[in-house]
Amino acid sequence: MAEITVKEIQEELRRGIEFYRELDGQILAFLNRLAETLEDKYELVRLKKPFAKDLRQSSVVQSYLLLMKPTGAEIESDEVDDDAETEDEDEVDTRDLAFAPDAKLPYVVVQMFGRVPKGAEGTATPPFIQYGTLAVMGRKDGKELQNPLRMRAGYYSGVFRNRMCNPRSSPPYTHKAHKGGPTLKFMEQSTAVQPLGSIRAESDIEELAKKVAELVGTQA
Amino acid sequence: MFQAILFHKLDESLLWKHEEDILTSDVFGAFKYLPAAYLNAWIVRLRERHPLLKPAFEMVCGLPDVKFWPQFHAAKESRETCEPDVVLTWGNLAVVIEAKLESHLEVQQLQVERESTKQASMAGGLVAEVIVVAVGRHRPAWWLHQRQSTEHWLAFSSWGTLADVFHATLAERRAIGVEPEEAALVDDILVRLKIRGVEPFGFGSLARRGPPSRPHFVPCEADRSTSVFPIHTSAPQVRLAEYWPPITNLRMSLLDLAKRAPVHEMTQLVIRKSPQCTSGFPGLVEVGRGVPKRFAQVWSLELKGSPTIEYCISAWRIAPDGRLAKVWQPLVRGVRSVGVRRARTKEPT
């Protein structure tokens, strides 16, 4: 074990904090630019602004998530006056999403560590970008799905935050649609990964947006 | 004002009512002093993203006439005046900029600004086309809902895009030789934006710098910690090689370290005893500090000596930055660590 002085430790601490703070900002900046491209060119609308997920028992950021609305989804806004619409996107968590049972649920996640999804092993190592779509497979109790499905947006992001980005979870992921609602089963429909290091310039973001749109099946 | 904020002489948060205006003034004011290449680069980005506005943006040529906060008669009965943040005019084209930092962009406000600018310009016999550019951190939530009715007159740019433009244009111009004054101004603007949490996109500088680990650091013995540490960077586990003063001064040493290191965001303390077989020292105690909602979980510091865990805890308890409750719980399962929750507690006598 090398011996270093307090001053060197302090310098190392400072560098460490600055480095990870900048990395944090850069990943969110990348996801924001990706969200803009997806909206502009492919009409893939984000559900809320990109956010980070921490590990529960530690302060380490595990994933950064950009969630798009399910294909063909409507956000029910009966409680919100359109004229007085607020900008606080976290408020979307308390609203309901209505979408068809066969809708695709698109996402882009930057995984700082964890395992590469099955079928994509060998294509990337952490940190990597995982993108694709989930699909609703049915209800856990076996009953028929309603059409349209109604899901509270906060619970919707929970599927990704707490299930898909949880190394201890494996598909099919189960999650409630809303408080007291039915438990739904979600399956990975299409998934792809690429190393985070492959994003170097804005053209790489455009390229990634194109790939995401192809997976979701939307055209420019 | 610009330099006062850059060098932290002036705390911008004290001017919270005007911080948006100050940033607008600093960033868009720079376009008055910089070569047209910077403004053109921004317009090109806007043009690419808003195809319906392409013909109008093609009227842009050279440096515009720039007006900050011009007052127009509002084209709305309920309001007397209308004051867009910036109006750039090139011949028959006026680009109205409404910049927001934390507050919300409202489509009605943007519409009134467009109509008021158009009325005022037409009264002067000047302008035929008016475009509004909304600038903000993120797109407003209503953006896509309103797109059909706004796409022929409204564009959006994030502050991040502006930072990208300044950064990329400077890099291009550096390659062909740039005046030092120009580079200094753009660098200052980028720092200015960074203060407000806006940075140009690019992992390049991070990749060049690399993560802050030293090759000779031994990986953290806690498996969980190493596995959760991002991009395979182990928390630097180091030993203080200096002699730690006797007990009465130990608190001061810890406190001093806490204050001088950038630990204002650290609210977790982890202490554990290292087994002699791994550390080579009997009774070695590690003191780690966690950074909540950040990457680094534990930056372990080993204290050479034999302070007890209880002593280290109490040392931190009486430190002003470490008002820690006496609630201990294992932070990492299977590892002899002690997590201490931050909470108000009585000062020990």
Side-chain angles (χ1 to χ4, degrees), chain B residues 89 91-94 117-118 121-122 124-130:
Chain B
T89 312
N92 277 336
L93 172 70
T117 308
K118 195 161 193 172
S121 305
M122 285 172 78
L126 291 172
V127 171
E129 190 80 43
V130 178

Side-chain angles (χ1 to χ4, degrees), chain B residues 22-280:
Chain B
I22 297 169
L23 187 68
T24 304
S25 153
D26 290 344
V27 173
F28 290 97
F31 284 133
K32 286 173 78 171
Y33 310 108
L34 288 169
Y38 291 87
L39 186 52
N40 286 342
W42 185 52
I43 296 290
V44 166
R45 299 270 178 125
L46 292 172
R47 204 168 61 193
E48 284 170 359
R49 283 293 167 94
H50 305 86
L52 285 189
L53 301 179
K54 201 173 173 184
F57 277 132
E58 276 171 357
M59 288 192 246
V60 169
C61 181
L63 282 171
D65 175 42
V66 185
K67 283 196 173 66
F68 282 90
W69 298 287
Q71 291 209 334
F72 302 128
H73 286 290
K76 194 177 181 184
E77 286 175 6
S78 58
R79 292 171 64 174
E80 283 187 1
T81 56
C82 163
E83 191 184 79
D85 288 334
V86 191
V87 177
L88 310 172
T89 312
W90 289 269
N92 277 336
L93 172 70
V95 174
V96 176
I97 294 165
E98 183 58 41
K100 302 283 187 191
L101 193 58
E102 306 301 344
S103 53
H104 304 153
L105 286 159
E106 289 172 8
V107 69
Q108 291 89 347
Q109 183 194 0
L110 301 173
Q111 208 155 13
V112 170
E113 286 181 0
R114 175 179 182 250
E115 285 162 16
S116 308
T117 308
K118 195 161 193 172
Q119 275 183 8
S121 305
M122 285 172 78
L126 291 172
V127 171
E129 190 80 43
V130 178
I131 289 174
V132 179
V133 181
V135 178
R137 280 194 190 272
H138 306 283
R139 283 184 184 198
W142 48 261
W143 183 259
L144 280 174
H145 295 170
Q146 303 279 348
R147 205 63 199 119
Q148 271 198 329
S149 59
T150 60
E151 62 185 345
H152 59 287
W153 61 270
L154 181 61
F156 176 82
S157 167
S158 66
W159 287 104
T161 303
L162 276 159
D164 287 349
V165 163
F166 280 113
H167 186 259
T169 313
L170 179 62
E172 279 168 23
R173 291 177 60 80
R174 270 192 170 130
I176 55 168
V178 69
E179 296 293 330
E181 296 85 359
E182 178 188 326
L185 177 55
V186 177
D187 283 338
D188 278 357
I189 290 164
L190 289 171
V191 174
R192 180 74 186 81
L193 285 165
K194 194 174 179 179
I195 291 173
R196 302 305 311 174
V198 179
E199 290 185 60
F201 166 71
F203 294 112
S205 67
L206 286 168
R208 277 193 297 278
R209 243 191 298 155
S213 63
R214 291 169 178 237
H216 55 266
F217 281 160
V218 180
C220 186
E221 68 170 280
D223 292 338
R224 177 81 183 273
S225 296
T226 47
S227 69
V228 297
F229 220 75
I231 52 178
H232 297 309
T233 306
S234 304
Q237 188 186 25
V238 293
R239 185 170 70 244
L240 301 182
E242 293 183 349
Y243 171 69
W244 283 89
I247 284 172
T248 47
N249 288 332
L250 178 60
R251 178 175 74 85
M252 293 311 293
S253 304
L254 285 168
L255 185 58
D256 184 47
L257 190 66
K259 280 188 167 176
R260 284 201 285 153
V263 294
H264 56 281
E265 290 182 65
M266 297 185 181
T267 55
Q268 273 188 322
L269 173 67
V270 176
I271 294 185
R272 66 180 169 219
K273 272 188 172 175
S274 285
Q276 190 175 352
C277 57
T278 56
S279 65

Side-chain angles (χ1 to χ4, degrees), chain A:
Chain A
M1 190 181 290
E3 294 190 352
I4 63 172
T5 63
V6 175
K7 203 173 176 184
E8 287 172 315
I9 292 166
Q10 288 171 341
E11 178 61 18
E12 198 68 14
L13 279 168
R14 188 189 60 72
R15 282 190 59 217
I17 290 170
E18 277 177 11
F19 178 87
Y20 289 116
R21 185 176 290 158
E22 195 174 332
L23 184 60
D24 193 28
Q26 285 296 341
I27 291 174
L28 289 172
F30 151 61
L31 288 178
N32 271 316
R33 281 155 180 77
L34 179 66
E36 281 180 24
T37 310
L38 287 168
E39 276 183 12
D40 279 344
K41 294 197 169 174
Y42 305 101
E43 295 189 355
L44 275 173
V45 185
R46 68 171 185 206
L47 181 69
K48 55 196 282 185
K49 61 190 173 195
F51 60 97
K53 170 206 157 67
D54 297 346
L55 267 187
R56 281 197 175 163
Q57 283 191 312
S58 76
S59 52
V60 179
V61 173
Q62 179 194 343
S63 323
Y64 295 84
L65 295 97
L66 167 62
L67 303 182
M68 272 73 75
K69 285 184 194 168
T71 50
E74 294 288 331
I75 290 189
E76 295 187 341
S77 55
D78 47 352
E79 293 168 23
V80 180
D81 179 3
D82 269 349
D83 292 336
E85 192 168 5
T86 66
E87 197 77 4
D88 189 355
E89 294 189 47
D90 290 337
E91 280 197 4
V92 81
D93 282 347
T94 59
R95 292 161 74 175
D96 279 343
L97 278 169
F99 54 93
D102 61 349
K104 293 177 180 178
L105 321 181
Y107 67 86
V108 179
V109 179
V110 175
Q111 300 272 29
M112 299 308 291
F113 51 88
R115 64 173 195 273
V116 174
K118 277 181 186 169
E121 295 95 340
T123 51
T125 53
F128 60 89
I129 303 161
Q130 181 181 341
Y131 57 95
T133 56
L134 294 187
V136 182
M137 303 307 291
R139 282 173 60 147
K140 195 182 174 187
D141 57 14
K143 289 181 184 171
E144 204 169 313
L145 286 170
Q146 283 182 330
N147 190 7
L149 275 172
R150 282 196 164 69
M151 194 162 183
R152 185 54 58 103
Y155 283 68
Y156 178 82
S157 55
V159 176
F160 297 88
R161 181 204 298 263
N162 302 333
R163 300 282 178 265
M164 198 191 78
C165 290
N166 182 352
R168 290 177 189 151
S169 285
S170 56
Y173 309 114
T174 53
H175 208 268
K176 278 190 180 299
H178 49 83
K179 193 176 180 184
T183 302
L184 303 176
K185 288 195 289 184
F186 299 85
M187 198 70 191
E188 278 170 5
Q189 195 174 40
S190 51
T191 310
V193 295
Q194 69 180 61
L196 182 60
S198 65
I199 304 295
R200 293 179 181 276
E202 288 201 24
S203 56
D204 299 322
I205 297 179
E206 303 267 336
E207 191 62 32
L208 176 61
K210 193 177 165 191
K211 289 185 203 166
V212 173
E214 277 170 6
L215 273 190
V216 182
T218 52
Q219 299 298 317

